[in-house]
Amino acid sequence: TEAEAHGVLATADRPIYGAGYCATAAIVTEGNPLAWWQGPERSLLASSTFGPGQAAIDLHRLEWYRVPAETLERHIAGPFVDYLCSNEITVTVSLPVMLDGEFSGVVCADVLIASLEQLLLPAVAGLGGAALVNASGRVVVSADDAYETGDRYAGVDPESGLEALGASVRVVRSARYPFALLIPAV
C-alpha cells in the first residue's frame, strides 16, 4: 500500500530512495504491474492505473524481479543505472511476496550509490584502497581511485569469483549480504 511504502521511505536510519511492489501477471492483468514511490517528496512514480507506460518494458525480465521469482529468496541487484525510476546509480533490494503459498510479485527498495558512499566511504577509505564489491566482483564503493562504481575489480574471474584474487587481496565476506570488502595486501 502507499502508506507502507511511505513508511519504508521514512526510515531515517536507512538511506532508502524508492520503494514499491511489482506484481505478477496473475495479480495485475492489464497495465503497469509496478506501484512505486520515491524521493524525499514520496512521489508516486508508477502504478497500474497509468496504463502501458513502463509496462511496455517487461519488468519481469529485470534482475531485481527475475531472481526472487526464480529462487523465492531475497536478492540485491546492482549497482546499475536505474533508467526506470531515478536515473541514478542504484542497488535494489527485492523480496518475493507469497500469497496463499504462491509467488505474487516482489517488494523492493532502492538505495542510491551516492547515499552508500556517504555512509561507507569514510570507513572504507581507512583501509588503504579497499573496495566493497557485489557477488560478481562489481565495485559498489571504492577508496581506490582506479575503481569506480560498476567497474569489475581486476583479477576477479567470472568462473571462480573472488577466489581468483589469491593472496594479493584480503577478502572479507558479509555473512548476511552478497558483498565483500576487498583490502589490498600490504
Side-chain angles (χ1 to χ4, degrees):
T1 69
E2 183 174 353
E4 290 167 327
H6 283 205
V8 169
L9 290 168
T11 54
D13 62 335
R14 296 184 185 114
I16 296 173
Y17 184 76
Y21 170 68
C22 187
T24 63
I27 301 293
V28 175
T29 58
E30 292 182 20
N32 190 344
L34 182 66
W36 194 261
W37 295 266
Q38 76 175 32
E41 61 284 340
R42 313 296 185 248
S43 298
L44 179 61
L45 181 67
S47 83
S48 60
T49 61
F50 291 164
Q54 285 130 326
I57 298 169
D58 185 359
L59 299 173
H60 300 147
R61 293 183 61 204
L62 300 176
E63 179 186 353
W64 53 261
Y65 184 96
R66 180 180 37 80
V67 173
E70 293 170 357
T71 65
L72 300 181
E73 294 182 4
R74 173 185 65 197
H75 181 70
I76 300 175
F80 63 93
V81 177
D82 184 1
Y83 291 113
L84 279 176
C85 298
S86 66
N87 289 320
E88 300 282 343
I89 301 173
T90 304
V91 293
T92 299
V93 179
S94 51
L95 300 165
V97 174
M98 306 298 287
L99 294 175
D100 298 325
E102 296 291 321
F103 176 76
S104 65
V106 296
V107 291
C108 302
D110 281 349
V111 177
L112 302 180
I113 292 297
S115 297
L116 288 178
E117 287 175 337
Q118 280 184 323
L119 291 171
L120 300 176
L121 202 49
V124 172
L127 298 172
L132 181 70
V133 300
N134 68 12
S136 64
R138 296 262 177 217
V139 173
V140 177
V141 174
S142 176
D144 184 339
D145 291 338
Y147 293 103
E148 293 185 19
T149 299
D151 287 348
R152 184 171 305 279
Y153 197 89
V156 174
D157 179 44
E159 298 295 319
S160 58
L162 301 177
E163 308 315 320
L165 294 171
S168 66
V169 176
R170 184 171 148 221
V171 178
V172 181
R173 295 181 188 277
S174 170
R176 186 169 180 194
Y177 301 104
F179 296 111
L181 188 61
L182 306 182
I183 306 167
V186 182

